[in-house]
Amino acid sequence: MGEIMGNFRRAINNTSLSRFRFYFQAASFLLLIYGGYLALNLGDQLPTFACIFSEPRGGSCYLFGLQHQMTTPWTSYLSGRGIGLLVGFLTFIAFFIVFNKAWCGFACPLGTIQDWLTALRARFKIRYANYAEPTFQRLKKIKYILLALLILIPMAIGNSFFGLPKLNHDFGVPFCMICPGRTILPLFSGDFSQLALDLSSKSKMILTALGLMVTGIFLSGSFIKKRFFCLFCPMSAFHYIFANAALLRLSKDAGKCSRCGNCYRACDVGIRAIADDLQHKNIVKDDCMLCGKCVEMCPEEGCLQVKFLGLPIYQSTAEGFFKRMQGRNNAK
Amino acid sequence: MQSDADKRFARMQKATALHLAMEGEETLQHLTEFSDNPKAMDYFYDLFRNLYKNGHKLPTDKKVIGTMCLQVPDELIYAAGAVPMRMCSGAYAYEQVGAEFMPAKSCPVVKATTGMLHVNQALWGEAVASVVLPTTCDQKKKCGEMLKEMGYPVYILEMPSSKDSEGARFYWQESIKKFTLDLQKITGNKITSGKLQTVIADMAECSRLFRKLNDLRKSKTPLIFGKDIFLVTSAYFIDEMASWRQAVRQLIEELEVWRQNDIAITNRQAPRMLLTGSPPIFPNLKVPILVEQAGGIIVADEVCSSNRLLHDAVAYDEANLNDMAAALADRYLKPCTCPCLTPNTDRNRKLAELVKSHAVEGVIYQAFSGCLPYEMEQKQISNTLSKAGVPMLYLETDYSSEDLGQLSTRVEAFIESIKARRRKK
């Protein structure tokens, strides 16, 4: 029995997680964008950028609901609306807690599109761009600012901050207005309407214009820089608040780490700590998307492990590493 | 008419060749004296037996690019259609040549390497297309200047003296990218991404095999002597890669059979030792041989001629030159534990891990007299090891055989003390 389990483990650790992820992402994409055709719907509290503006979707992003709920005057949180807010939040947490940031690496349709653009660029043998580490450290803060704004701006609609006048309802879902998910994802079901510039009011015009700009930056940026948008993603920031409670984890055994940096090289979001952090066992950082590429590239036995409820489900091995690298050469 | 200097040089050449052949033969004799050596080791014994016969020949007819430290990416040299040859020499005969024009206090590796290139210059001449020298320790750097004076085409590969910052990493990546371009000029061949990908895979296979061999050393039943491992890795400096891989594969196969049948190469109770510090390079396998003659077995090592050289492999993300060159750069700097780097705490951590994984009972720290970085790092390594409860023997030595008596007494006493520790436990 033990031997069978051992062989099974070994077979799993020898596989290419990236290939599995490629197909999983494609399946998630189909489900989240076209799930409606099969009458599938995972609800509106998903911890990932499945867009509510896209029909016939199979579920949608919690940030829309969250922003919307924030427009309520504070006093009404104590009434039935507060319960609605709480239920929505708990549903989000329930989804998130199980898969942690793997939502980003395996399910997010915007993430998947970025990975497709990366694959396209790599096929043309065009080199990628990278940030210098200090730039990375500065830019990564933007997502927290966006997260704060997407909560505070809607709040200023139903409430007055410091006696200032309330904002108008055009700012109800400010982040959605600039999110490339709103403009791009509906395209996959033939809906081009989100690309229109809304001239019905000044604020709407500004927001939709910004949205188009961000869309352009999203497409060109993620063509030359892997997972370009994820560094700024407020969902990623929101995730990170709860990541320590998640059941799916990435852990590192520092004693086994030679700091060879393979993991850091492979990391699409450029997390340096994965190679150089020798203190923390739980190594999921705020930009991590749990794609597992670091585990694939780590040549040290059991140094990096993906664990679910403390049980290792995929871990780095020398055998797996050499197999995958050899496979890459054979596939040439 | 030959000048006196020319005549003297010719005499030195002749004497060196003679001493070298004797020295190689003597080491081989010690290596093969042990009973029941694996059959697959014969390949390596023969390789070195022929190396110094009728003068020290280059290993190939192709253009040779000499490398002075392990940080030079061999992959790039192969991809450029040339053959890398690690020049670091372990020969006392060559050290004697170097001693004629180098400071007495310089380390034997640098003296022997410079001496070898000096005395063989006429013999090797044009075949050495370049000597690539990463800016590691001060002695190697100055040795590069001497080689340039002699007329060798020395290539300085600029390397940072620390590896922890991103600045250092990018500086080194740029050095490697420049080296990629310059190699194409030196060899006249283009390095394509396809060729490089193939070579990276070939070299990864070398690492994979070395790791397998190293894993076999973890076995509770001792399967292979450290002196043979060092011969295998010394062969890696000069051998044709495909034949080296084939020979190592055979060695692994043979040892696998031994493992399955529980055949031990030596006494099962032999104290398990780890060797770290200055590199044992053929023919200077003095210390490993002494340790194993005294009844110990070297089950692990942390030296730049063996484990540090072969453990790591390149991991690129995209198969274009830009990413592969950067990946090569990372492979040769990031996991490196050369004492020319500061801080070098990764070396302490690596040793602690090896002690655990290979069930090491005692550590031999070999420092070549004149190699200050290793001499100075001794303190911090001994502190780390004493925390781990592993005794360490510090040996300051060189390539001569003068200290043999003194060394063997100390090594024997150390090994006895480990046996005594066991009895107490």
Side-chain angles (χ1 to χ4, degrees), chain A residues 46 97 116 137 166-167 204 218 233 241-242 252 311 331:
Chain A
L46 295 185
I97 288 287
W116 288 343
Q137 292 300 345
K166 293 178 184 173
L167 282 176
K204 274 192 174 163
F218 170 84
C233 177
I241 301 172
F242 315 102
K252 173 171 172 177
L311 296 170

Side-chain angles (χ1 to χ4, degrees), chain B residues 331-372:
Chain B
R331 179 253 181 268
Y332 285 98
L333 180 72
K334 292 280 287 175
C336 187
T337 46
C338 176
C340 72
L341 292 165
T342 182
N344 198 22
T345 42
D346 282 343
R347 184 165 172 232
N348 302 42
R349 295 196 311 111
K350 198 187 265 181
L351 281 168
E353 188 60 24
L354 280 169
V355 163
K356 254 197 273 171
S357 62
H358 287 68
V360 170
E361 300 172 274
V363 171
I364 307 276
Y365 193 119
Q366 161 169 278
F368 289 149
S369 36
C371 176
L372 280 176

Side-chain angles (χ1 to χ4, degrees), chain A residues 77-97:
Chain A
Y77 286 152
L78 298 169
S79 68
R81 291 205 170 173
I83 295 172
L85 184 78
L86 195 67
V87 169
F89 176 70
L90 290 178
T91 319
F92 164 82
I93 291 288
F95 273 120
F96 174 74
I97 288 287

Side-chain angles (χ1 to χ4, degrees), chain B residues 65-112:
Chain B
I65 296 205
T67 62
M68 294 292 276
C69 275
L70 66 73
Q71 291 85 354
V72 185
D74 286 347
E75 287 89 345
L76 288 173
I77 298 175
Y78 282 119
V83 175
M85 173 177 159
R86 176 90 172 267
M87 291 289 179
C88 304
S89 172
Y92 180 57
Y94 285 145
E95 191 202 329
Q96 293 296 92
V97 177
E100 293 213 357
F101 55 90
M102 293 183 77
K105 280 182 185 164
S106 40
C107 98
V109 183
V110 175
K111 264 192 271 186

Side-chain angles (χ1 to χ4, degrees), chain B residues 224-256:
Chain B
I224 182 157
F225 279 120
K227 48 117 191 158
D228 283 339
I229 295 285
F230 292 126
L231 195 69
V232 171
T233 56
S234 288
Y236 184 82
F237 283 29
I238 50 165
D239 200 5
E240 208 273 307
M241 279 299 107
S243 4
W244 186 86
R245 282 194 294 269
Q246 191 48 35
V248 174
R249 246 177 240 129
Q250 268 168 9
L251 182 60
I252 291 169
E253 263 170 44
E254 188 174 348
L255 296 181
E256 277 291 352

